[in-house]
Amino acid sequence: MVEKMKNQELITNKKPLDLQIKNGIKYFPVFVVLCVFAFLLLAPLVWMCLGSFKSDAEVMQYPPKFFPQANHLLENWKTVMTRIDFLTLTKNTVIYAVGCTIPSMFINALAGYAFARFNFKGKNLLFLLFLATMMIPFQVIMVPLYLEVYYLKWLNTYWGLIIPKVASAYWIFLCRAAFQELPKELEDAARIDGLGEFGIFWKIMLPLVKPTMITMLLLGINNCWNDLLWPLIVANASTMRTLSNGLAIFIGDRTSEYSLAFTAAAVSMLPMLVLYIFGQKYFVAGQVSSGIKG
């Protein structure tokens, strides 16, 4: 009897393992396909990073060598840092990215909260008009925006860089979706406790959509950090250039020096890579919670 019970326990313990093996076999082709796509996406990035530590001769060498020689590891980085005003470019980029993103988070969250929790005349039509602006390319409104900045005398200023980028229909859409997921009972309980509408938004609702707000922070800073066109138009003075503009001009002047071009691209990419590594958990959670409802 005891032996039969032991055999039954062994059988029941094997079932989950067998199920795991079956699931592994079932999803193995999907895993292989994902690995192939991951390799195709990461290969240029890895080659660029390795090329930043190589000399031009090593970059153009055929057949190519994967790893750089030890005697040329940091020469390109020293050259890039000494040939460009790295501190000024970084300062302008940080001011541009933070100045656009922080006010944008507050304004777009307020608009998304209003569309999600309030009922007012013409709400759906107004929201559709906001969504319609997402289909208009930036190049279409670029000239009118430039004229506005010009007549306001904001060329080569932080105001001209930041103000036109504060509001975003895409972020309003995500915030609306996130706020719609919250139960209405939270508002009713807050009103009973004596909170006003802004207090409900600031103290109750906003902390509950933290993943969405962090997603806005990460993507907003990333978009401004890598933005090339708008800063190139309204901030063409050397003292107001952002990092992407300064490095683009640096690369354009040295199109034949591929190792320095790789290094400049790596310099621009590195801060955003570190930011994403530390915030990826909140980024994924924000995308999931904001995409449940539209």
Side-chain angles (χ1 to χ4, degrees), residues 10-293:
L10 290 173
I11 292 172
T12 55
N13 290 332
K14 285 182 178 179
K15 283 183 179 179
L17 181 60
D18 294 339
L19 186 61
Q20 291 178 6
I21 294 174
K22 289 181 180 179
N23 288 335
I25 295 173
K26 179 180 178 181
Y27 292 107
F28 182 75
V30 178
F31 176 75
V32 172
V33 172
L34 291 177
C35 287
V36 171
F37 276 102
F39 174 78
L40 293 176
L41 291 174
L42 292 176
L45 182 64
V46 173
W47 186 253
M48 178 197 72
C49 293
L50 291 174
S52 66
F53 297 103
K54 296 179 180 179
S55 63
D56 285 331
E58 289 181 273
V59 172
M60 301 300 295
Q61 186 178 8
Y62 186 84
K65 290 185 178 180
F66 194 72
F67 293 103
Q69 296 179 0
N71 58 357
H72 198 273
L73 286 179
L74 298 178
E75 292 299 323
N76 294 331
W77 290 78
K78 294 178 182 178
T79 302
V80 171
M81 293 299 179
T82 54
R83 290 189 186 180
I84 63 174
D85 191 358
F86 184 75
L87 293 179
T88 300
L89 296 177
T90 304
K91 181 197 73 172
N92 293 336
T93 307
V94 170
I95 293 174
Y96 174 45
V98 176
C100 285
T101 305
I102 300 301
S104 178
M105 291 171 62
F106 178 71
I107 292 172
N108 294 325
L110 273 176
Y113 179 77
F115 280 119
R117 315 303 292 193
F118 296 156
N119 291 318
F120 52 90
K121 188 176 181 180
K123 181 181 78 170
N124 294 331
L125 177 61
L126 184 60
F127 184 68
L128 287 176
L129 291 176
F130 271 102
L131 292 184
T133 61
M134 296 172 59
M135 296 182 288
I136 302 175
F138 176 73
Q139 290 78 4
V140 175
I141 62 173
M142 182 174 61
V143 174
L145 279 179
Y146 175 81
L147 292 176
E148 289 182 8
V149 172
Y150 174 77
Y151 287 121
L152 290 171
K153 298 182 180 180
W154 283 353
L155 292 178
N156 292 314
T157 64
Y158 293 121
W159 294 109
L161 280 170
I162 293 172
I163 297 299
K165 291 283 188 173
V166 169
S168 170
Y170 177 71
W171 295 128
I172 294 174
F173 172 77
L174 285 185
C175 290
R176 173 181 174 271
F179 283 121
Q180 280 183 330
E181 293 299 308
L182 303 179
K184 188 172 178 57
E185 290 75 14
L186 292 173
E187 296 177 56
D188 298 334
R191 289 192 181 95
I192 293 173
D193 291 338
L195 281 178
E197 293 300 333
F198 185 79
I200 294 172
F201 164 76
W202 185 257
K203 295 182 179 180
I204 306 298
M205 296 299 186
L206 196 61
L208 294 177
V209 294
K210 180 181 176 182
T212 301
M213 301 304 294
I214 295 179
T215 301
M216 290 176 60
L217 178 67
L218 293 176
L219 289 182
I221 290 178
N222 179 71
N223 292 338
C224 293
W225 190 273
N226 296 320
D227 191 10
L228 177 65
L229 185 58
W230 181 245
L232 188 63
I233 295 172
V234 299
N236 52 14
S238 59
T239 56
M240 287 298 301
R241 286 175 184 157
T242 60
L243 190 61
S244 59
N245 289 339
L247 293 177
I249 294 172
F250 175 81
I251 294 173
D253 293 339
R254 295 162 178 84
T255 53
S256 60
E257 298 178 274
Y258 297 106
S259 60
L260 294 182
F262 287 154
T263 307
V267 168
S268 179
M269 178 200 69
L270 188 60
M272 292 301 99
L273 181 62
V274 174
L275 183 65
Y276 179 77
I277 289 174
F278 283 102
Q280 61 176 332
K281 178 178 67 174
Y282 298 102
F283 174 77
V284 174
Q287 289 290 332
V288 172
S289 63
S290 299
I292 294 176
K293 285 188 178 181

